Amino acid sequence: MTTVSKEMNTMDELTMDITKDIQENFDLIKKGTMEIHNEDELLRKLIRSKETGKPLVVKLGLDPTAPDLHLGHTVVLRKIRQLQDMGHKAFLIIGDFTGRIGDPSGNDKSRPQLTEEEVLMNADTYREQLNRVLDRDKTIICFNSEWLDAMKPSELLQIMARHTVARILERDSFKKRMASGEPIGLHELVYPLLQGLDSVEIEADIEIGGLDQKFNILTGREMQQKNGVEKQVAIFMPLIEGLDGEKKMSKSLGNAIGITEDADVMFQKLMTVKDHLIIRYLNLLTDMKPTKINELIRDLTERGTNPKEVKLVLAKEVVTLYHGVKAAELAQKNFEHIFVQGQIPDDVPAFKWQSSDNLMSFLTRNDVIVSRSEVRRLVAQKGIKVNDQLILEPEVIGLRSGDVIRIGKRQFVKVA
């Protein structure tokens, strides 16, 4: 393990060591972040990494509950990908051990404990989805049971002896539960210590997460210091609003954009982003450099550029990340074909109709629409047509090959 250096450069000395490429990388890392603990440490690590040629260890802890990833999840993942593109390595720690406890972060009640079989089954769903965002060659996936299962009770007691109950109970979710009389399990008090041990084990240089993970990640810094390991830099990313412009992006709320959605669908949804979120989406969902984003801000605020033009840039950037340049260019062509001429695009995504399908199951099974409740809402608002015939109830059956379903003004899907 690396011993923490007692010699700390002054800020003036640190500034002298910053080269142009380090400054650009530092600015890109900062883009879209809410908090960094702390920036001086991050700069020192970047400088040392360049001088030694040793990549930094970037940690992300994953709760293995098998989510279908949408763009909201990628806010953290894109930041990790940016660090990978700078040459650093990502360690994704799947909490198969801690998942059996359940992370108490932000919860008003104890989470139900998952079985080992459920945790491992859920963990498998991450792999293909994560490869759509991260660099596979610079990503190491591990399970924290590798070291936590081997820990003796006496070792755990020694770790617990270094921390106080008062400190653990400082976290907001515990305070709320105590105030409301909701019980707190003893196992939940240990959770942040176990997550912190993950950082000690891999000697993490950086840990990235949402603000809901602040207590756990800062506990990791504290535990590294107590174990003679250089403290990790904690980078906290914000939650992002969905297509309604108000609530957190969520599949269940029907305001999400899935990372596996068809390029045309993704492009069309991004073109409906509320104007006040355009720059926020550029900052959090793309790898666009801050200088370019600042130029687009000036276009909007000083030059009177139509927001639609900047949305086109946003949509093309995001679709390129998940489908490639050619697919993004075709999606833009199809969108403009529909938007300007009101016609059906040349290349409509097609899916096979199964004998057990109705319209609702067909659309949700193929991720055309994110939830059954969203299908009902669109039907109620007269927003779905089949072959230009308005649909009045969501459980239509008997669609045939070649039928074209129109959702809203600009989204189309064909029955194969």
Side-chain angles (χ1 to χ4, degrees):
M1 294 186 178
T2 306
T3 302
V4 179
S5 174
K6 294 182 180 179
E7 297 180 3
M8 304 295 283
N9 293 333
T10 65
M11 195 60 201
D12 287 342
E13 292 171 334
L14 187 61
T15 303
M16 291 174 61
D17 292 331
I18 299 175
T19 60
K20 181 180 178 182
D21 61 327
I22 289 176
Q23 184 64 56
E24 288 179 350
N25 287 344
F26 180 68
D27 291 341
L28 183 56
I29 293 170
K30 285 179 62 179
K31 186 186 82 164
T33 61
M34 294 195 74
E35 295 181 24
I36 298 179
H37 291 262
N38 66 42
E39 292 186 10
D40 290 358
E41 292 175 15
L42 176 58
L43 271 173
R44 291 188 185 95
K45 287 177 183 287
L46 292 172
I47 292 168
R48 184 183 63 208
S49 177
K50 182 177 181 181
E51 290 175 346
T52 63
K54 182 180 179 181
L56 297 178
V57 173
V58 183
K59 173 194 169 188
L60 173 65
L62 295 172
D63 184 9
T65 51
D68 292 322
L69 297 185
H70 53 65
L71 292 183
H73 294 115
T74 69
V75 172
V76 168
L77 295 174
R78 289 242 64 84
K79 187 60 60 181
I80 292 176
R81 178 57 190 258
Q82 290 166 9
L83 283 153
Q84 288 181 317
D85 290 342
M86 297 172 195
H88 307 299
K89 288 188 176 181
F91 278 70
L92 306 189
I93 300 180
I94 295 178
D96 61 325
F97 185 98
T98 47
R100 294 175 231 161
I101 296 175
D103 186 359
S105 300
N107 286 283
D108 296 330
K109 296 182 179 180
S110 297
R111 284 190 178 186
Q113 295 184 27
L114 300 176
T115 66
E116 183 174 2
E117 291 74 19
E118 288 173 327
V119 168
L120 292 176
M121 182 176 65
N122 290 345
D124 285 341
T125 67
Y126 272 109
R127 295 179 185 274
E128 190 276 332
Q129 295 182 80
L130 291 171
N131 287 337
R132 290 176 175 264
V133 185
L134 301 179
D135 184 333
R136 186 182 311 204
D137 295 333
K138 296 176 184 174
T139 301
I140 299 169
I141 297 178
C142 49
F143 298 80
N144 62 11
S145 62
E146 294 174 24
W147 48 88
L148 295 180
D149 267 335
M151 186 169 54
K152 297 177 181 178
S154 59
E155 294 173 323
L156 178 59
L157 288 172
Q158 289 174 1
I159 292 166
M160 293 172 67
R162 300 178 188 174
H163 302 269
T164 67
V165 172
R167 171 79 175 95
I168 299 296
L169 291 179
E170 287 177 5
R171 70 182 316 153
D172 290 340
S173 57
F174 285 162
K175 286 180 181 178
K176 292 176 182 177
R177 284 162 64 180
M178 289 183 67
S180 64
E182 185 69 34
I184 300 171
L186 285 174
H187 65 293
E188 295 181 271
L189 302 181
V190 181
Y191 186 95
L193 304 183
L194 296 177
Q195 184 170 317
L197 279 175
D198 295 345
S199 295
V200 175
E201 179 68 26
I202 68 169
E203 298 187 17
D205 290 299
I206 298 171
E207 182 167 4
I208 301 179
L211 273 180
D212 61 326
Q213 290 294 310
K214 186 172 184 177
F215 187 92
N216 293 337
I217 293 174
L218 294 182
T219 298
R221 274 172 59 90
E222 181 182 335
M223 292 186 69
Q224 284 178 311
Q225 187 175 34
K226 289 181 177 180
N227 283 274
V229 178
E230 183 178 282
K231 291 186 295 184
Q232 64 189 15
V233 171
I235 297 179
F236 298 106
M237 302 302 297
L239 300 174
I240 193 165
E241 299 83 358
L243 294 175
D244 58 358
E246 298 177 3
K247 296 178 182 177
K248 178 183 76 171
M249 187 177 288
S250 167
K251 186 173 181 178
S252 63
L253 294 175
N255 65 357
I257 304 173
I259 66 170
T260 60
E261 288 189 291
D262 179 85
D264 282 341
V265 174
M266 185 179 284
F267 197 100
Q268 290 157 17
K269 285 187 175 182
L270 286 161
M271 289 302 296
T272 69
V273 169
K274 304 300 182 185
D275 290 355
H276 70 279
L277 289 177
I278 298 173
I279 299 302
R280 185 165 171 80
Y281 272 45
L282 283 167
N283 268 311
L284 296 176
L285 302 180
T286 78
D287 294 333
M288 186 178 287
K289 292 185 177 181
T291 51
K292 175 62 176 175
I293 293 176
N294 289 336
E295 189 69 20
L296 292 172
I297 292 173
R298 284 192 287 273
D299 286 343
L300 288 170
T301 59
E302 299 174 14
R303 298 166 186 151
T305 300
N306 189 322
K308 179 195 165 187
E309 298 303 315
V310 183
K311 285 184 191 179
L312 286 169
V313 175
L314 166 67
K316 190 172 182 179
E317 284 283 326
V318 174
V319 174
T320 297
L321 288 172
Y322 298 100
H323 294 282
V325 174
K326 290 184 178 179
E329 290 175 347
L330 180 59
Q332 180 172 351
K333 177 183 176 182
N334 285 337
F335 174 82
E336 292 175 342
H337 186 56
I338 302 164
F339 188 84
V340 176
Q341 302 175 26
Q343 297 179 8
I344 297 174
D346 298 328
D347 188 15
V348 175
F351 302 99
K352 186 174 178 60
W353 183 275
Q354 297 180 355
S355 59
S356 59
D357 271 336
N358 58 37
L359 182 63
M360 179 184 291
S361 62
F362 175 79
L363 293 173
T364 54
R365 176 171 58 80
N366 293 300
D367 290 328
V368 178
I369 297 178
V370 294
S371 67
R372 297 170 71 88
S373 60
E374 179 68 359
V375 177
R376 293 190 187 95
R377 184 187 69 79
L378 287 165
V379 168
Q381 294 178 351
K382 300 181 179 180
I384 298 182
K385 293 181 178 180
V386 175
N387 300 331
D388 280 334
Q389 295 297 311
L390 189 64
I391 298 301
L392 300 178
E393 55 93 8
E395 297 183 350
V396 172
I397 61 174
L399 269 64
R400 298 172 296 179
S401 177
D403 286 345
V404 176
I405 304 167
R406 182 169 187 154
I407 300 111
K409 294 181 179 179
R410 298 183 291 272
Q411 185 177 352
F412 295 86
V413 65
K414 186 182 292 186
V415 177

Coordinates of all heavy atoms in Angstrom, one line a residue, residues 159-231:
I159 N -11.9 -2.9 12.8 CA -12.3 -1.8 12.0 C -13.4 -0.9 12.6 O -13.3 0.3 12.6 CB -12.8 -2.3 10.6 CG1 -11.6 -2.9 9.8 CG2 -13.4 -1.2 9.7 CD1 -12.0 -3.8 8.6
M160 N -14.4 -1.6 13.1 CA -15.5 -0.9 13.8 C -15.0 -0.1 15.0 O -15.6 1.0 15.3 CB -16.6 -1.9 14.2 CG -17.3 -2.6 13.0 SD -18.4 -3.9 13.5 CE -19.7 -3.0 14.4
A161 N -14.0 -0.6 15.7 CA -13.5 0.1 16.9 C -12.9 1.5 16.5 O -12.7 2.4 17.4 CB -12.4 -0.7 17.6
R162 N -12.5 1.7 15.2 CA -11.9 3.0 14.8 C -13.0 4.0 14.5 O -12.6 5.2 14.1 CB -11.0 2.8 13.6 CG -9.9 1.8 13.8 CD -9.1 1.6 12.5 NE -8.1 0.6 12.6 CZ -7.4 0.1 11.6 NH1 -7.5 0.7 10.4 NH2 -6.5 -0.8 11.8
H163 N -14.2 3.7 14.5 CA -15.3 4.6 14.1 C -16.4 4.6 15.2 O -16.6 3.7 16.0 CB -15.9 4.1 12.8 CG -14.9 4.0 11.7 ND1 -14.7 5.1 10.8 CD2 -14.1 3.0 11.3 CE1 -13.7 4.7 10.0 NE2 -13.4 3.5 10.2
T164 N -17.1 5.7 15.3 CA -18.1 5.9 16.3 C -19.5 5.8 15.8 O -19.7 6.1 14.6 CB -17.9 7.3 17.0 OG1 -18.2 8.3 16.1 CG2 -16.5 7.4 17.5
V165 N -20.4 5.4 16.6 CA -21.8 5.4 16.2 C -22.3 6.8 15.9 O -23.1 7.0 14.9 CB -22.7 4.7 17.4 CG1 -24.2 4.8 17.0 CG2 -22.3 3.3 17.5
A166 N -21.9 7.7 16.7 CA -22.3 9.1 16.5 C -22.0 9.6 15.1 O -22.8 10.3 14.4 CB -21.7 10.0 17.5
R167 N -20.8 9.2 14.6 CA -20.3 9.6 13.3 C -21.2 9.0 12.2 O -21.6 9.6 11.2 CB -18.9 9.2 13.1 CG -18.3 9.4 11.6 CD -18.0 10.8 11.3 NE -17.4 10.9 10.0 CZ -18.1 11.2 8.9 NH1 -19.4 11.4 8.9 NH2 -17.4 11.3 7.7
I168 N -21.5 7.7 12.3 CA -22.3 7.0 11.4 C -23.7 7.5 11.3 O -24.3 7.6 10.3 CB -22.3 5.4 11.7 CG1 -20.9 4.8 11.6 CG2 -23.2 4.7 10.7 CD1 -20.3 4.9 10.3
L169 N -24.2 7.9 12.5 CA -25.6 8.4 12.6 C -25.8 9.8 12.0 O -26.9 10.4 12.0 CB -26.1 8.3 14.0 CG -26.4 6.9 14.5 CD1 -26.8 6.9 16.0 CD2 -27.3 6.1 13.7
E170 N -24.6 10.4 11.6 CA -24.7 11.7 11.0 C -25.4 11.7 9.6 O -25.9 12.8 9.2 CB -23.3 12.4 10.9 CG -22.7 12.8 12.2 CD -21.3 13.3 12.0 OE1 -20.9 13.4 10.8 OE2 -20.6 13.6 13.0
R171 N -25.4 10.6 9.0 CA -26.0 10.6 7.7 C -27.5 10.9 7.7 O -28.2 10.5 8.6 CB -25.7 9.2 7.0 CG -26.5 8.1 7.5 CD -26.1 6.8 6.7 NE -26.0 7.0 5.3 CZ -25.3 6.3 4.5 NH1 -24.5 5.4 4.9 NH2 -25.3 6.6 3.2
D172 N -28.0 11.7 6.7 CA -29.3 12.2 6.7 C -30.4 11.1 6.8 O -31.4 11.3 7.6 CB -29.6 13.0 5.5 CG -28.8 14.3 5.5 OD1 -28.4 14.8 6.6 OD2 -28.5 14.9 4.4
S173 N -30.2 10.0 6.1 CA -31.3 9.0 6.1 C -31.4 8.4 7.5 O -32.6 8.1 7.9 CB -30.9 7.9 5.1 OG -29.7 7.3 5.3
F174 N -30.3 8.2 8.2 CA -30.5 7.7 9.6 C -31.1 8.7 10.5 O -31.9 8.3 11.3 CB -29.1 7.3 10.1 CG -28.5 6.0 9.5 CD1 -27.1 5.8 9.6 CD2 -29.3 5.1 8.9 CE1 -26.6 4.6 9.0 CE2 -28.8 3.9 8.3 CZ -27.4 3.7 8.4
K175 N -30.8 9.9 10.3 CA -31.4 11.0 11.2 C -32.9 11.0 11.0 O -33.7 11.1 12.0 CB -30.8 12.4 10.8 CG -29.4 12.6 11.3 CD -29.0 14.0 10.9 CE -27.6 14.3 11.3 NZ -27.1 15.7 10.8
K176 N -33.4 10.9 9.7 CA -34.8 10.9 9.4 C -35.5 9.7 10.0 O -36.6 9.8 10.6 CB -35.0 11.0 7.9 CG -34.6 12.3 7.3 CD -34.7 12.3 5.8 CE -34.3 13.6 5.2 NZ -34.3 13.5 3.7
R177 N -34.9 8.6 9.9 CA -35.5 7.3 10.4 C -35.5 7.3 11.9 O -36.5 6.8 12.5 CB -34.7 6.1 9.9 CG -35.1 5.9 8.4 CD -34.0 5.0 7.7 NE -34.0 3.6 8.3 CZ -33.2 2.7 7.8 NH1 -32.3 3.0 6.8 NH2 -33.2 1.5 8.4
M178 N -34.5 7.9 12.6 CA -34.6 7.9 14.0 C -35.7 8.9 14.5 O -36.4 8.6 15.4 CB -33.2 8.4 14.6 CG -32.1 7.4 14.4 SD -30.5 7.9 15.2 CE -31.0 8.0 16.9
A179 N -35.8 10.0 13.8 CA -36.8 11.0 14.1 C -38.2 10.5 14.0 O -39.1 10.8 14.7 CB -36.6 12.3 13.3
S180 N -38.4 9.6 13.0 CA -39.7 9.0 12.7 C -40.0 7.7 13.4 O -41.1 7.2 13.3 CB -39.9 8.8 11.2 OG -39.0 7.8 10.7
G181 N -39.0 7.3 14.2 CA -39.2 6.0 14.9 C -39.0 4.8 14.1 O -39.3 3.7 14.5
E182 N -38.5 5.0 12.8 CA -38.3 3.8 12.0 C -37.0 3.1 12.4 O -36.0 3.7 12.6 CB -38.1 4.3 10.5 CG -38.0 3.2 9.5 CD -39.3 2.4 9.3 OE1 -40.4 3.0 9.4 OE2 -39.2 1.2 9.0
P183 N -37.0 1.7 12.6 CA -35.9 1.0 13.1 C -34.7 1.1 12.1 O -34.9 1.1 10.9 CB -36.4 -0.4 13.2 CG -37.6 -0.5 12.3 CD -38.2 0.8 12.3
I184 N -33.5 1.0 12.7 CA -32.2 0.9 11.9 C -31.5 -0.4 12.3 O -31.2 -0.5 13.5 CB -31.3 2.1 12.2 CG1 -32.1 3.4 11.8 CG2 -30.0 2.0 11.4 CD1 -31.3 4.7 12.2
G185 N -31.2 -1.2 11.4 CA -30.5 -2.5 11.7 C -29.1 -2.2 11.9 O -28.5 -1.3 11.3
L186 N -28.5 -3.0 12.8 CA -27.1 -2.9 13.1 C -26.2 -3.1 11.9 O -25.2 -2.5 11.7 CB -26.7 -3.9 14.2 CG -27.1 -3.5 15.6 CD1 -26.7 -4.7 16.6 CD2 -26.4 -2.3 16.1
H187 N -26.7 -4.0 11.0 CA -25.9 -4.3 9.8 C -25.9 -3.1 8.9 O -24.9 -2.9 8.2 CB -26.6 -5.5 9.0 CG -28.0 -5.2 8.5 ND1 -29.0 -5.0 9.3 CD2 -28.4 -5.0 7.2 CE1 -30.1 -4.7 8.6 NE2 -29.8 -4.8 7.3
E188 N -26.9 -2.2 8.9 CA -26.8 -1.0 8.1 C -25.8 0.0 8.5 O -25.2 0.7 7.7 CB -28.2 -0.3 8.1 CG -29.3 -1.1 7.5 CD -30.7 -0.4 7.6 OE1 -31.4 -0.5 8.6 OE2 -31.0 0.3 6.6
L189 N -25.5 0.0 9.8 CA -24.4 0.9 10.4 C -23.0 0.5 9.8 O -22.1 1.4 9.7 CB -24.4 0.9 11.9 CG -25.7 1.3 12.6 CD1 -25.5 1.2 14.1 CD2 -26.2 2.7 12.2
V190 N -22.9 -0.7 9.5 CA -21.6 -1.2 9.0 C -21.4 -1.0 7.5 O -20.3 -1.0 7.0 CB -21.5 -2.8 9.3 CG1 -20.1 -3.3 8.9 CG2 -21.6 -3.0 10.8
Y191 N -22.5 -0.7 6.8 CA -22.4 -0.6 5.3 C -21.4 0.4 4.8 O -20.5 0.0 4.0 CB -23.8 -0.3 4.7 CG -23.8 -0.3 3.2 CD1 -24.2 -1.4 2.5 CD2 -23.4 0.8 2.5 CE1 -24.2 -1.5 1.2 CE2 -23.4 0.8 1.1 CZ -23.8 -0.3 0.4 OH -23.7 -0.4 -0.9
P192 N -21.4 1.6 5.3 CA -20.4 2.6 4.8 C -18.9 2.1 5.1 O -18.0 2.4 4.3 CB -20.7 3.9 5.5 CG -21.6 3.5 6.7 CD -22.3 2.3 6.3
L193 N -18.7 1.4 6.2 CA -17.4 0.9 6.5 C -16.9 -0.2 5.5 O -15.8 -0.2 5.0 CB -17.3 0.3 7.9 CG -17.7 1.3 9.0 CD1 -17.5 0.6 10.4 CD2 -17.0 2.6 9.0
L194 N -17.9 -1.0 5.1 CA -17.6 -2.1 4.1 C -17.3 -1.5 2.8 O -16.4 -1.9 2.1 CB -18.7 -3.1 4.1 CG -19.0 -3.9 5.4 CD1 -20.2 -4.8 5.2 CD2 -17.7 -4.7 5.8
Q195 N -18.1 -0.5 2.4 CA -17.8 0.2 1.1 C -16.5 0.9 1.1 O -15.8 1.0 0.1 CB -19.0 1.2 0.8 CG -18.8 1.8 -0.6 CD -20.0 2.6 -1.1 OE1 -21.2 2.2 -0.9 NE2 -19.8 3.8 -1.6
G196 N -16.2 1.5 2.3 CA -14.9 2.2 2.4 C -13.7 1.2 2.3 O -12.7 1.5 1.8
L197 N -13.9 0.0 2.8 CA -12.9 -1.1 2.7 C -12.6 -1.4 1.2 O -11.5 -1.8 0.9 CB -13.3 -2.3 3.4 CG -13.1 -2.4 4.9 CD1 -13.7 -3.6 5.5 CD2 -11.6 -2.2 5.3
D198 N -13.6 -1.3 0.3 CA -13.4 -1.5 -1.1 C -12.3 -0.5 -1.6 O -11.4 -0.9 -2.4 CB -14.7 -1.3 -1.9 CG -15.7 -2.3 -1.5 OD1 -15.4 -3.3 -0.9 OD2 -16.9 -2.1 -1.9
S199 N -12.4 0.8 -1.2 CA -11.4 1.8 -1.6 C -10.0 1.5 -1.0 O -9.0 1.7 -1.7 CB -11.9 3.2 -1.1 OG -13.1 3.6 -1.7
V200 N -10.0 1.0 0.2 CA -8.7 0.6 0.8 C -8.1 -0.6 0.0 O -6.9 -0.6 -0.4 CB -8.8 0.2 2.3 CG1 -7.5 -0.4 2.8 CG2 -9.3 1.3 3.1
E201 N -8.9 -1.6 -0.3 CA -8.4 -2.8 -1.0 C -7.8 -2.5 -2.4 O -6.8 -3.0 -2.7 CB -9.6 -3.8 -1.2 CG -9.3 -5.1 -1.9 CD -8.3 -6.0 -1.0 OE1 -8.3 -5.8 0.2 OE2 -7.6 -6.8 -1.7
I202 N -8.5 -1.7 -3.2 CA -8.0 -1.4 -4.5 C -7.1 -0.2 -4.6 O -6.6 0.2 -5.7 CB -9.1 -1.3 -5.6 CG1 -9.9 0.0 -5.3 CG2 -10.0 -2.5 -5.6 CD1 -10.9 0.3 -6.4
E203 N -6.9 0.5 -3.4 CA -6.1 1.7 -3.4 C -6.6 2.7 -4.4 O -5.8 3.2 -5.3 CB -4.6 1.4 -3.6 CG -4.0 0.5 -2.5 CD -2.5 0.4 -2.6 OE1 -1.9 1.2 -3.2 OE2 -2.0 -0.6 -1.9
A204 N -7.9 3.0 -4.3 CA -8.5 4.0 -5.3 C -7.9 5.3 -5.2 O -7.7 5.9 -4.1 CB -10.0 4.0 -5.0
D205 N -7.6 5.9 -6.4 CA -7.2 7.3 -6.4 C -8.4 8.3 -6.5 O -8.3 9.4 -6.0 CB -6.3 7.5 -7.7 CG -4.9 6.8 -7.5 OD1 -4.2 7.2 -6.6 OD2 -4.7 5.9 -8.4
I206 N -9.4 7.8 -7.2 CA -10.6 8.7 -7.4 C -11.8 7.8 -7.2 O -11.8 6.6 -7.7 CB -10.6 9.3 -8.8 CG1 -9.4 10.2 -9.1 CG2 -11.9 10.0 -9.1 CD1 -9.3 10.7 -10.5
E207 N -12.8 8.3 -6.5 CA -14.1 7.6 -6.5 C -15.2 8.5 -7.0 O -15.2 9.7 -6.6 CB -14.5 7.0 -5.2 CG -15.8 6.3 -5.2 CD -16.1 5.4 -4.0 OE1 -15.4 5.5 -3.0 OE2 -17.2 4.8 -4.0
I208 N -16.0 8.1 -7.9 CA -17.1 8.9 -8.5 C -18.5 8.4 -8.1 O -18.7 7.2 -8.1 CB -16.9 8.9 -10.0 CG1 -15.6 9.5 -10.4 CG2 -18.0 9.8 -10.7 CD1 -15.3 9.5 -11.9
G209 N -19.4 9.3 -7.8 CA -20.7 8.9 -7.5 C -21.6 10.0 -7.4 O -21.2 11.2 -7.6
G210 N -22.9 9.8 -7.2 CA -23.9 10.8 -7.0 C -23.8 11.4 -5.6 O -23.2 10.8 -4.7
L211 N -24.5 12.5 -5.3 CA -24.4 13.1 -4.0 C -25.1 12.2 -3.0 O -24.8 12.4 -1.8 CB -25.1 14.5 -4.0 CG -24.3 15.7 -4.4 CD1 -25.1 17.0 -4.4 CD2 -23.1 15.8 -3.4
D212 N -26.0 11.3 -3.4 CA -26.6 10.4 -2.4 C -25.5 9.4 -1.9 O -25.8 8.8 -0.8 CB -27.7 9.6 -3.1 CG -27.2 8.8 -4.3 OD1 -26.3 9.2 -5.0 OD2 -27.7 7.7 -4.5
Q213 N -24.4 9.4 -2.5 CA -23.3 8.5 -2.0 C -22.2 9.3 -1.2 O -21.2 8.7 -0.9 CB -22.6 7.8 -3.2 CG -23.5 6.7 -3.8 CD -23.8 5.6 -2.9 OE1 -22.8 5.0 -2.3 NE2 -25.0 5.2 -2.7
K214 N -22.5 10.5 -1.0 CA -21.5 11.4 -0.4 C -20.9 10.8 0.9 O -19.7 10.7 1.2 CB -22.0 12.8 -0.1 CG -21.0 13.8 0.4 CD -21.5 15.2 0.4 CE -20.5 16.2 0.8 NZ -21.0 17.6 0.8
F215 N -21.8 10.4 1.8 CA -21.3 9.8 3.1 C -20.4 8.6 2.9 O -19.4 8.5 3.5 CB -22.5 9.5 4.0 CG -22.1 9.1 5.4 CD1 -22.1 10.1 6.4 CD2 -21.8 7.8 5.7 CE1 -21.7 9.7 7.7 CE2 -21.5 7.4 7.0 CZ -21.4 8.4 8.0
N216 N -20.9 7.7 2.1 CA -20.1 6.5 1.9 C -18.7 6.8 1.3 O -17.7 6.2 1.7 CB -20.9 5.5 0.9 CG -22.2 5.0 1.6 OD1 -22.3 5.0 2.8 ND2 -23.1 4.6 0.7
I217 N -18.7 7.6 0.3 CA -17.4 7.9 -0.4 C -16.5 8.7 0.5 O -15.3 8.4 0.5 CB -17.7 8.7 -1.7 CG1 -18.5 7.8 -2.7 CG2 -16.4 9.2 -2.4 CD1 -18.9 8.5 -4.0
L218 N -17.0 9.6 1.3 CA -16.1 10.3 2.2 C -15.6 9.4 3.3 O -14.5 9.6 3.8 CB -16.8 11.6 2.7 CG -17.1 12.7 1.7 CD1 -17.8 13.9 2.4 CD2 -15.8 13.1 1.0
T219 N -16.4 8.4 3.7 CA -16.0 7.4 4.7 C -14.8 6.6 4.1 O -13.9 6.3 4.8 CB -17.1 6.5 5.0 OG1 -18.2 7.3 5.7 CG2 -16.7 5.4 6.0
G220 N -14.9 6.4 2.8 CA -13.8 5.7 2.1 C -12.5 6.5 2.2 O -11.4 5.9 2.5
R221 N -12.5 7.8 2.0 CA -11.4 8.6 2.2 C -10.8 8.5 3.6 O -9.6 8.4 3.8 CB -11.7 10.1 1.9 CG -11.7 10.5 0.5 CD -12.3 11.9 0.3 NE -11.6 13.0 1.0 CZ -10.5 13.7 0.6 NH1 -10.0 13.4 -0.6 NH2 -10.0 14.6 1.3
E222 N -11.7 8.6 4.6 CA -11.3 8.5 6.0 C -10.6 7.2 6.3 O -9.6 7.1 7.0 CB -12.5 8.7 6.8 CG -12.3 8.7 8.3 CD -13.5 8.9 9.1 OE1 -14.5 9.4 8.6 OE2 -13.6 8.4 10.3
M223 N -11.2 6.1 5.8 CA -10.7 4.8 6.0 C -9.3 4.5 5.4 O -8.4 3.9 5.9 CB -11.7 3.7 5.6 CG -12.9 3.7 6.5 SD -14.0 2.3 6.1 CE -13.0 0.9 6.7
Q224 N -9.1 5.1 4.2 CA -7.8 5.0 3.5 C -6.8 5.7 4.3 O -5.7 5.1 4.5 CB -7.9 5.6 2.1 CG -8.6 4.8 1.1 CD -8.7 5.5 -0.3 OE1 -9.1 6.7 -0.4 NE2 -8.3 4.8 -1.3
Q225 N -7.1 6.9 4.8 CA -6.1 7.6 5.6 C -5.7 6.8 6.9 O -4.5 6.7 7.2 CB -6.7 9.0 6.0 CG -5.7 9.9 6.7 CD -6.3 11.3 6.9 OE1 -7.5 11.4 7.2 NE2 -5.4 12.3 6.9
K226 N -6.7 6.2 7.5 CA -6.4 5.4 8.8 C -5.7 4.1 8.5 O -5.1 3.6 9.4 CB -7.7 5.1 9.5 CG -8.4 6.3 10.1 CD -9.7 6.0 10.8 CE -10.3 7.2 11.5 NZ -11.6 6.9 12.2
N227 N -5.7 3.7 7.2 CA -5.0 2.5 6.8 C -3.7 2.8 6.1 O -3.1 1.9 5.5 CB -5.9 1.6 6.0 CG -6.9 0.8 6.8 OD1 -6.6 -0.2 7.3 ND2 -8.1 1.4 6.9
G228 N -3.2 4.0 6.1 CA -2.0 4.4 5.5 C -2.0 4.4 4.0 O -1.0 4.3 3.3
V229 N -3.2 4.6 3.4 CA -3.3 4.7 1.9 C -3.6 6.1 1.6 O -4.4 6.8 2.3 CB -4.5 3.7 1.5 CG1 -4.7 3.8 0.0 CG2 -4.1 2.3 1.9
E230 N -3.1 6.6 0.5 CA -3.4 7.9 0.1 C -4.8 8.1 -0.2 O -5.5 7.3 -0.8 CB -2.6 8.3 -1.2 CG -2.8 9.7 -1.7 CD -1.9 10.0 -2.9 OE1 -0.7 10.2 -2.8 OE2 -2.5 10.0 -4.0
K231 N -5.4 9.2 0.3 CA -6.9 9.4 0.2 C -7.3 9.6 -1.3 O -6.6 10.2 -2.1 CB -7.3 10.7 1.0 CG -7.1 10.5 2.5 CD -7.7 11.8 3.2 CE -6.9 13.0 2.8 NZ -7.4 14.2 3.6

